[in-house]
Amino acid sequence: MNLFIKILKYELNNIMRSKWVIAYFMFFLVITEVLFRFSGDSSRVLVGLMNIALLLIPLVSIIFGTIHFYNSREFMELLLAQPVKRNVLFSASWLGLVLPLSLAYVMGLALPFLLHGTSDFAPYLILLSSGVILSFIFVGLAFIIALKITEKSFGVGLAFIVWLFFGVIYDGLIMLIIWQFSDYPLEAFMIGISSLNPIDLCRITIMLKFDIAALMGYTGAIFEKFFGSLFGIGIAFSMLMAWILIPYLIAKRLFNKKDF
Amino acid sequence: MPKKIYILFASFFISCIIFFTALSTSNKSEKDVKTTQISLKDLVSNAAPNDTITLNGGYYPESGIEIYKPLTIIGKNDPVIDGQSKGKNIFLIKNDSVSLAGLTIKNVARHALWDNAAIRIDNSHQCKVLNCKFENAYFGIYLAKSSNCEVIGNKFQSQGSHESDAGNGIHLWKSGHIHIKDNVIKGHRDGIYLEFGKACMIENNWSENNIRYGLHFMFSDSCKYLNNHFEHNGAGVAVMYTHDIEMINNTFANNWGTAAYGLLLKDIHDSKIYGNQFVNNTVGIHSEGSIRIKVEHNNFIRNGWGARIFANSNDNFFGSNNFISNTFDIASNSRMNFNKFIGNYWSGYSGYDINLDGWGDVPYRPVRLFSLLASQQEPVMLLLHSIFIEFLDIAERIFPVLTPETLIDSKPSMKIIK
């Protein structure tokens, strides 16, 4: 445990000093502030931020995560030569990356909101927590990619493709399915398929907390009914937890078995 | 002499006592009239035609007051007529030239078969209802087959919870030339309802928090709606199967919900919508089968859809409107478009104006691909704000393939139109 904290501390120091995380923090800070200045209305700010967060957090987490893992490879090899358990090293470096990324995002959003105040507290909290959850998920995926693929450029490319799949292509597939099976009642199926993708799941849970849910008509009403119920919230929450845990466990297993 | 003075004194004293007791008894008899109050029904039936009855305060627990002669009833000091949720209509007017003013009428019986009203004006003309208050009425004022009546300055407050157990505030059926002005209507089923009305004038009314529509009319031609305010109604305002109407300077605000519209137009033709405010509605104007409507100088602000125009609407003209911060400015369900959009201001316009004449040099396409897709396949709406959709929209904007080719504003204004 002592060792875990030591490594985590080192990782945190290392990452906090990195310009990337500071730039990431500054970006969210400036964007939130600018949105506030230009629109003033906090629910509009939230919708704008949702768009940016859902696009950027998975992208940055997965790309930065893979690059960071490749870069710290030599350090890991060095540490593994010491009497350090692999489990401990892995968890510490995973947390050491996830925490600063989440913190940068939360701080970047929180400071302007503290300054200007908000009336939409529930959607704001959901936006914050989904950003944090997405960081956790995509860092996990990044570690899997970096562990599976030794070639750095190929790994980063694959990370980009994985992001592209969850962020863009997946929704395209959903649309294709809606078009192809438009004669069938698709609502239940849509609930299932959109909760399989963490980005979609976050997007929909945030949106259902806004007024714009009314625009989504009948399907939106069904979603609201489902995700508004305790059962639906439970499903959404456990789905996201599974999305955090499963990549984490897979990466950990790969790490333990890896022949450095 | 002193004896005489004594007698004089005593007689004066006695006469004083007699005088004052007489005075006090006469006072008492007046009070008795008030406490054992004559019923309003008797007052009405005893009155001669063209009489004026003035009610000075008082409480009348009555309903079913029928008026068969020209009569004026004026309330002073807030007389209350309480139907106690019993019987049918509280007032039933069946003669011309009846006026009611300054009354408070409350607790009309709710009934599934009869449209009980606080005041029902049946087949009568030149009637007036002025400055009355209606509390917990089922139907407030019900005009049937009547004309040239005035409904001015009334307040309606009801507590219906479902469409089935609530009535309309002001209900017109087969009535013409009715002037409805300065009324405030809250908590009814429809605030103002017209069916087969003709040439009515509806102005300065405030209709809010009604269960269904703030204003609802069908088959009511040549009516005018000026300076009304419709806010927070269950489904906004719906107008159907009518022509030659004018809607000027009204406000349609905060009608938000999956089936709520700022203004729903269904089979309306040759009409004018001018100078209205559509703010914060799910749909600003929803148009189905509307023809030759002029929509000018309106503001569409922060609506889900500024205007949703189905392809069966044609020859409509949108000019000099402001479309500001709507999620979608215009939506259509087809590539076909037979409507004209010229000289509007669009906050989503990103073109330029090189010759500085105030009009953008590139046409604006107000229909986003996504809104077109969503109106064809509703579940697609679930992808709102998805990155994929943003990409698709950008691609479509650069090279339009699917959105209506002719639905463009070829002369978008660079500045907000005042």
Side-chain angles (χ1 to χ4, degrees):
Chain A
M1 206 58 213
N2 213 356
L3 203 62
F4 173 79
I5 288 173
K6 242 182 207 167
I7 300 173
L8 181 62
K9 251 187 188 166
Y10 168 78
E11 282 282 345
L12 285 178
N13 273 332
N14 188 21
I15 298 263
M16 287 302 204
R17 261 185 284 133
S18 134
K19 287 180 196 114
W20 280 101
V21 174
I22 291 168
Y24 187 62
F25 160 70
M26 287 305 289
F27 175 81
F28 277 115
L29 188 72
V30 169
I31 279 285
T32 314
E33 185 60 29
V34 164
L35 280 175
F36 255 115
R37 299 251 152 158
F38 279 95
S39 68
D41 174 11
S42 75
S43 79
R44 303 222 134 230
V45 175
L46 283 171
V47 174
L49 280 175
M50 179 188 77
N51 279 332
I52 295 162
L54 291 179
L55 172 79
L56 216 67
I57 291 175
L59 182 65
V60 170
S61 301
I62 201 166
I63 299 281
F64 186 67
T66 7
I67 294 174
H68 175 78
F69 195 88
Y70 284 124
N71 288 350
S72 55
R73 193 187 162 92
E74 281 167 14
F75 169 68
M76 281 180 178
E77 283 171 9
L78 180 74
L79 274 193
L80 285 174
Q82 314 296 319
V84 173
K85 276 191 181 157
R86 284 194 171 203
N87 262 343
V88 172
L89 179 58
F90 178 80
S91 317
S93 49
W94 184 74
L95 262 186
L97 181 57
V98 157
L99 287 181
L101 280 179
S102 317
L103 201 68
Y105 167 71
V106 170
M107 294 294 283
L109 251 67
L111 289 180
F113 268 92
L114 285 179
L115 208 67
H116 297 273
T118 175
S119 47
D120 315 278
F121 218 65
Y124 174 61
L125 280 183
I126 289 186
L127 181 65
L128 277 185
S129 47
S130 19
V132 172
I133 289 172
L134 284 178
S135 316
F136 275 61
I137 293 171
F138 280 86
V139 167
L141 291 175
F143 276 24
I144 296 181
I145 292 166
L147 281 160
K148 270 274 184 203
I149 290 153
T150 18
E151 176 94 26
K152 187 176 168 181
S153 57
F154 185 43
V156 174
L158 187 65
F160 184 74
I161 288 170
V162 169
W163 169 79
L164 205 63
F165 175 77
F166 284 112
V168 183
I169 297 170
Y170 196 88
D171 289 347
L173 290 177
I174 289 183
M175 190 138 113
L176 202 69
I177 290 169
I178 293 173
W179 232 257
Q180 288 301 314
F181 298 94
S182 56
D183 294 343
Y184 300 88
L186 282 175
E187 281 75 24
F189 174 75
M190 288 281 286
I191 289 179
I193 198 163
S194 50
S195 38
L196 285 179
N197 180 348
I199 300 181
D200 275 349
L201 192 57
C202 286
R203 184 171 52 78
I204 290 166
T205 33
I206 298 168
M207 277 215 301
L208 289 179
K209 289 277 169 254
F210 287 119
D211 299 347
I212 38 173
L215 299 189
M216 299 199 289
Y218 178 67
T219 322
I222 286 188
F223 267 68
E224 199 155 20
K225 202 176 155 203
F226 181 77
F227 286 116
S229 70
L230 213 60
F231 176 71
I233 293 171
I235 291 277
F237 185 73
S238 42
M239 216 58 178
L240 287 172
M241 284 306 116
W243 261 109
I244 294 177
L245 272 179
I246 292 169
Y248 170 77
L249 290 175
I250 292 174
K252 196 171 176 180
R253 202 179 135 87
L254 286 173
F255 187 79
N256 284 341
K257 284 192 173 166
K258 185 153 174 94
D259 185 12
F260 279 94
Chain B
M1 270 331 248
K3 240 183 186 175
K4 260 190 178 174
I5 292 172
Y6 277 130
I7 291 165
L8 205 76
F9 218 79
S11 62
F12 175 73
F13 189 70
I14 290 166
S15 63
C16 271
I17 289 175
I18 290 169
F19 178 74
F20 277 112
T21 44
L23 208 71
S24 65
T25 45
S26 74
N27 252 353
K28 216 175 194 174
S29 69
E30 241 183 53
K31 256 186 194 161
D32 282 349
V33 172
K34 261 195 173 171
T35 43
T36 58
Q37 210 170 47
I38 302 165
S39 82
L40 201 50
K41 256 181 226 164
D42 291 345
L43 276 176
V44 167
S45 62
N46 291 336
N50 297 313
D51 270 6
T52 298
I53 300 173
T54 306
L55 303 176
N56 192 355
Y59 173 75
Y60 303 85
E62 291 177 58
S63 63
I65 303 156
E66 300 182 0
I67 302 176
Y68 291 97
K69 55 193 141 200
L71 198 64
T72 303
I73 302 179
I74 295 173
K76 283 191 177 147
N77 297 323
D78 207 19
V80 175
I81 294 108
D82 187 347
Q84 296 175 309
S85 302
K86 284 187 271 192
K88 290 171 113 184
N89 304 301
I90 294 183
F91 281 97
L92 175 61
I93 296 170
K94 288 206 154 199
N95 202 302
D96 298 355
S97 309
V98 175
S99 303
L100 302 178
L103 308 172
T104 297
I105 307 173
K106 61 184 189 183
N107 300 328
V108 179
R110 291 169 199 269
H111 199 280
L113 290 181
W114 305 309
D115 290 342
N116 297 337
I119 300 174
R120 185 182 170 112
I121 301 173
D122 211 340
N123 218 344
S124 309
H125 313 283
Q126 283 95 30
C127 292
K128 289 179 188 173
V129 180
L130 313 172
N131 303 319
C132 290
K133 269 194 223 157
F134 298 84
E135 290 167 13
N136 192 24
Y138 182 47
F139 282 68
I141 300 174
Y142 193 125
L143 291 123
K145 290 193 255 176
S146 303
S147 67
N148 296 308
C149 297
E150 287 178 14
V151 177
I152 298 177
N154 303 290
K155 286 196 168 64
F156 301 77
Q157 173 79 59
S158 187
Q159 291 94 23
S161 50
H162 304 288
E163 281 183 22
S164 51
D165 73 349
N168 304 326
I170 301 173
H171 184 106
L172 265 73
W173 183 74
K174 241 183 168 175
S175 298
H177 303 279
I178 309 287
H179 194 178
I180 300 175
K181 191 180 166 190
D182 296 330
N183 300 290
V184 177
I185 308 152
K186 294 175 183 176
H188 278 269
R189 182 172 64 197
D190 292 348
I192 303 171
Y193 178 96
L194 291 85
E195 195 170 352
F196 305 107
K198 195 150 182 73
C200 296
M201 178 75 160
I202 288 113
E203 58 180 331
N204 289 337
N205 300 289
W206 187 290
S207 175
E208 185 185 301
N209 285 325
N210 295 297
I211 300 163
R212 197 169 64 182
Y213 299 115
L215 165 70
H216 184 190
F217 62 78
M218 290 187 269
F219 315 107
S220 298
D221 309 334
S222 314
C223 293
K224 275 189 187 173
Y225 305 85
L226 313 177
N227 302 322
N228 300 291
H229 189 104
F230 305 103
E231 183 164 348
H232 259 300
N233 297 300
V237 168
V239 301
M240 306 180 197
Y241 314 109
T242 301
H243 56 84
D244 295 298
I245 51 167
E246 286 180 24
M247 306 190 94
I248 299 172
N249 293 340
N250 302 289
T251 302
F252 304 84
N254 298 325
N255 299 296
W256 199 267
T258 44
Y261 307 91
L263 175 60
L264 180 144
L265 305 171
K266 165 104 181 102
D267 286 316
I268 301 283
H269 63 92
D270 297 293
S271 297
K272 199 171 153 189
I273 297 173
Y274 191 93
N276 301 288
Q277 308 288 329
F278 298 88
V279 184
N280 253 336
N281 305 292
T282 321
V283 185
I285 291 185
H286 176 103
S287 157
E288 229 178 294
S290 326
I291 302 163
R292 292 186 297 276
I293 296 182
K294 282 206 165 113
V295 184
E296 290 174 296
H297 289 282
N298 302 288
N299 286 332
F300 296 83
I301 302 172
R302 291 193 304 275
N303 301 291
W305 286 275
R308 201 155 65 179
I309 297 157
F310 280 23
N312 55 1
S313 304
N314 53 300
D315 297 319
N316 299 300
F317 179 79
F318 283 77
S320 309
N321 301 292
N322 291 314
F323 289 83
I324 300 169
S325 300
N326 302 299
T327 308
F328 305 108
D329 287 329
I330 305 283
S332 173
N333 60 343
S334 156
R335 287 202 73 198
M336 297 300 189
N337 169 53
F338 309 100
N339 304 297
K340 259 192 189 155
F341 295 82
I342 286 183
N344 300 288
Y345 171 79
W346 311 88
S347 65
Y349 182 59
S350 53
Y352 46 83
D353 177 23
I354 290 178
N355 55 6
L356 294 175
D357 62 351
W359 307 107
D361 298 341
V362 225
Y364 178 68
R365 306 181 159 273
V367 178
R368 282 176 60 186
L369 173 61
F370 180 50
S371 69
L372 180 70
L373 296 177
S375 56
Q376 288 173 1
Q377 288 295 333
E378 208 216 3
V380 175
M381 206 61 206
L382 214 66
L383 300 176
L384 181 66
H385 288 299
S386 146
I387 307 157
F388 171 71
I389 292 300
E390 311 283 331
F391 284 171
L392 217 61
D393 269 339
I394 293 168
E396 175 73 16
R397 229 158 243 216
I398 295 165
F399 188 69
V401 192
L402 295 167
T403 44
E405 273 171 283
T406 53
L407 207 165
I408 51 169
D409 189 335
S410 53
K411 204 177 145 194
S413 169
M414 295 303 285
K415 279 187 188 148
I416 293 179
I417 295 153
K418 293 229 166 86

